[in-house]
């Protein structure tokens, strides 16, 4: 199976040979930081054009087709437009919090990248409590939204922020229980261990119907947590102008915009890691010949392929279902998803104790 460990070891040895261990470690951290920033920029460009092309495909139209071949440079043109736009700050706003909010949104997204395994032996931080870390850090994102809504001194922004707070706090419960079902079966909070536990089959198949239910609930919950339609009550254009980022323009708006798409990538990457084996190829039990052929496909292709499949699924939701009202959104969580999740986690626990999985 393809592995990036040799490249990482080569860079590590070269730096240690040239610099002191402390300086080499600092340089490695800087290199990782630059790579993450570069990945953010590429993801922003790719996911925006993907969103537009997917929406065009679903609505049977062409989508962007003027800027570049097949309109591929449209998102680059939009980025240039946002860069040259003047950033405005309302006169009655709390300027410090208003300017800080988009940076917190982006910093949270960057922190969530740390434990993700993008390929075999290619991970920034192999953390023993990776799942707990992701759950804890992702909860901080609501602070940036509340901060942006309150500091804008705009009633629409504040209403959007309060909606978002209620929405994220509510759906975190169902998302947490869905993640917990895989943790119970794998017996570890370490993302690498969870991936390794799927060497003979992904949990969505090995875990039978309870894990499939967890997967469906996870996709619904993370769609709500990332403020994506049909759960985009925090930025409902027909009601709240643009919601919590109504007063933002220029680069500050671009940071919120980028953070939203990167968060979609992150939650789909986590879903792919927990339920679809992450970078692990598709293996079937003791079918050694078939499994050996699957190993020839690079692990990074498996990871990004699964992740972008889930992103496509979430984009499909956006252009299929109408936006819910806030009462319908909260009813869906507290009256349906949460009770189902609680019952489902009992089933998964019983299944893990009795060994009723492949």
């Amino acid at each position: 199976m393809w592995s990036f460990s040799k490249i990482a070891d080569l860079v590590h040895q070269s730096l240690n040979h040239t610099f002191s261990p402390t300086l080499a470690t600092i340089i490695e951290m800087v290199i990782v930081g630059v790579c993450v920033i570069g990945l953010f920029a590429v993801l922003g460009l790719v996911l925006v054009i993907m969103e537009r092309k997917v929406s065009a495909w679903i609505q049977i139209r062409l989508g962007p087709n003027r800027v570049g071949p097949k309109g591929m440079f449209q998102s680059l043109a939009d980025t240039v437009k946002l860069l040259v736009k003047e950033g405005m700050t309302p006169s009655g706003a709390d300027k410090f919090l208003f300017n800080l909010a988009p940076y917190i949104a982006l910093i949270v997204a960057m922190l969530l990248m740390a434990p993700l395994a993008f390929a075999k032996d290619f991970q920034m931080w192999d953390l023993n409590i990776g799942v707990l870390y992701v759950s804890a850090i992702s909860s901080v994102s609501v602070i940036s939204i509340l901060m942006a809504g309150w500091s804008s001194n705009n009633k629409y922004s504040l209403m959007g922020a309060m909606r978002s707070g209620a929405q994220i706090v509510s759906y975190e419960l169902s998302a947490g229980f869905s993640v917990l079902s895989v943790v119970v079966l794998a017996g570890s909070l370490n993302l690498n261990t969870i991936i390794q536990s799927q060497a003979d089959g992904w949990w969505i198949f090995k875990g039978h119907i309870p894990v499939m239910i967890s997967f469906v609930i996870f996709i619904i919950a993370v769609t709500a947590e990332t403020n994506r339609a049909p759960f985009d009550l925090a930025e409902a254009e027909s009601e709240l102008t643009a919601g919590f980022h109504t007063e933002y323009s220029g680069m500050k708006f671009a940071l919120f915009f980028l953070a939203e798409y990167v968060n979609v990538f992150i939650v789909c990457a986590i879903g792919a890691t927990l339920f679809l084996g992450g970078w692990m190829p598709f293996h079937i039990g003791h079918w050694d010949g078939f499994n050996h052929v699957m190993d020839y496909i690079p692990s990074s292709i498996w990871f990004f392929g699964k992740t972008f499949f889930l992103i496509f699924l979430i984009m499909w939701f956006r252009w299929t279902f109408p936006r819910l009202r806030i009462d319908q959104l909260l009813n869906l969580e507290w009256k349906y998803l949460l009770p189902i999740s609680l019952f489902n986690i009992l089933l998964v626990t019983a299944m893990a104790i009795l060994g009723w999985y492949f």
Side-chain angles (χ1 to χ4, degrees):
M1 190 186 295
W2 295 68
S3 173
F4 286 88
S5 58
K6 291 181 181 178
I7 299 172
D9 290 341
L10 182 65
V11 172
H12 180 70
Q13 289 168 9
S14 301
L15 289 172
N16 276 302
H17 181 72
T18 310
F19 305 101
S20 67
T22 304
L23 187 58
T25 303
I26 293 170
I27 293 171
E28 285 175 359
M29 289 180 178
V30 170
I31 291 170
V32 169
V34 170
C35 289
V36 169
I37 293 169
L39 179 62
F40 268 43
V42 171
L43 283 175
L45 296 174
V46 169
L47 292 179
V48 168
I49 194 68
M50 181 180 170
E51 176 95 79
R52 294 182 171 192
K53 288 294 185 181
V54 169
S55 67
W57 173 71
I58 289 173
Q59 296 168 359
I60 319 177
R61 55 184 178 83
L62 291 176
N65 60 353
R66 300 286 183 183
V67 187
K70 302 288 185 181
M72 290 301 172
F73 296 151
Q74 182 63 55
S75 52
L76 194 62
D78 292 341
T79 304
V80 173
K81 178 194 73 173
L82 288 169
L83 283 170
V84 300
K85 269 192 171 183
E86 182 183 2
M88 304 292 290
T89 303
S91 56
D94 184 318
K95 290 182 173 56
F96 175 72
L97 295 181
F98 183 83
N99 292 320
L100 181 64
Y103 292 100
I104 290 180
L106 205 62
I107 288 167
V108 169
M110 284 187 173
L111 289 171
L112 287 171
M113 285 281 187
L116 293 180
F118 294 94
K120 189 175 187 290
D121 300 321
F122 194 73
Q123 187 179 17
M124 282 181 269
W125 190 16
D126 187 9
L127 188 63
N128 283 336
I129 52 168
V131 174
L132 182 61
Y133 172 87
V134 167
S135 301
I137 298 297
S138 62
S139 306
V140 181
S141 63
V142 71
I143 293 174
S144 65
I145 294 173
L146 290 170
M147 192 184 291
W150 182 83
S151 65
S152 295
N153 194 32
N154 180 309
K155 61 183 179 182
Y156 297 113
S157 298
L158 181 60
M159 193 177 295
M162 296 305 293
R163 280 182 175 186
S164 182
Q167 180 174 322
I168 291 174
V169 170
S170 299
Y171 278 84
E172 268 182 354
L173 295 169
S174 291
F177 279 120
S178 300
V179 168
L180 198 59
S181 64
V182 175
V183 171
V184 168
L185 290 171
S188 174
L189 290 167
N190 185 295
L191 290 176
N192 253 332
T193 306
I194 291 172
I195 293 170
Q196 294 292 346
S197 70
Q198 301 175 77
D200 58 343
W202 304 341
W203 278 122
I204 195 168
F205 302 126
K206 290 201 302 178
H208 306 299
I209 293 174
V211 176
M212 290 183 184
I213 293 170
S214 292
F215 176 71
V216 171
I217 292 172
F218 177 82
I219 292 295
I220 294 170
V222 297
T223 304
E225 280 200 72
T226 51
N227 291 320
R228 297 277 304 175
F231 306 108
D232 59 337
L233 273 299
E235 44 191 83
E237 294 89 351
S238 57
E239 304 164 24
L240 303 177
T241 315
F244 65 92
H245 55 66
T246 296
E247 298 291 353
Y248 285 89
S249 60
M251 268 310 294
K252 287 185 284 241
F253 170 76
L255 291 177
F256 270 124
F257 195 64
L258 178 61
E260 178 182 329
Y261 278 102
V262 172
N263 282 330
V264 171
F265 173 83
I266 289 167
V267 296
C268 290
I270 292 164
T273 299
L274 296 175
F275 296 97
L276 304 178
W279 52 259
M280 188 67 68
F282 180 60
H283 288 168
I284 302 176
H286 299 291
W287 292 20
D288 295 333
F290 176 82
N291 296 343
H292 188 62
V293 171
M294 292 293 102
D295 287 342
Y296 276 105
I297 302 173
S299 55
S300 56
I301 299 295
W302 280 108
F303 175 80
F304 283 102
K306 296 169 189 176
T307 302
F308 275 91
F309 167 72
L310 295 182
I311 291 171
F312 170 75
L313 206 61
I314 287 178
M315 289 179 177
W316 195 350
F317 286 173
R318 173 173 184 175
W319 302 105
T320 304
F321 299 109
R323 180 183 294 130
L324 302 178
R325 294 196 313 266
I326 186 67
D327 61 315
Q328 293 172 326
L329 180 132
L330 294 177
N331 278 339
L332 175 65
E333 164 61 15
W334 293 104
K335 291 184 178 179
Y336 298 96
L337 293 187
L338 186 58
I340 292 170
S341 297
L342 287 168
F343 180 70
N344 196 55
I345 195 67
L346 289 175
L347 278 180
V348 170
T349 306
M351 192 168 70
I353 293 169
L354 299 170
W356 289 350
Y357 56 89
F358 295 123

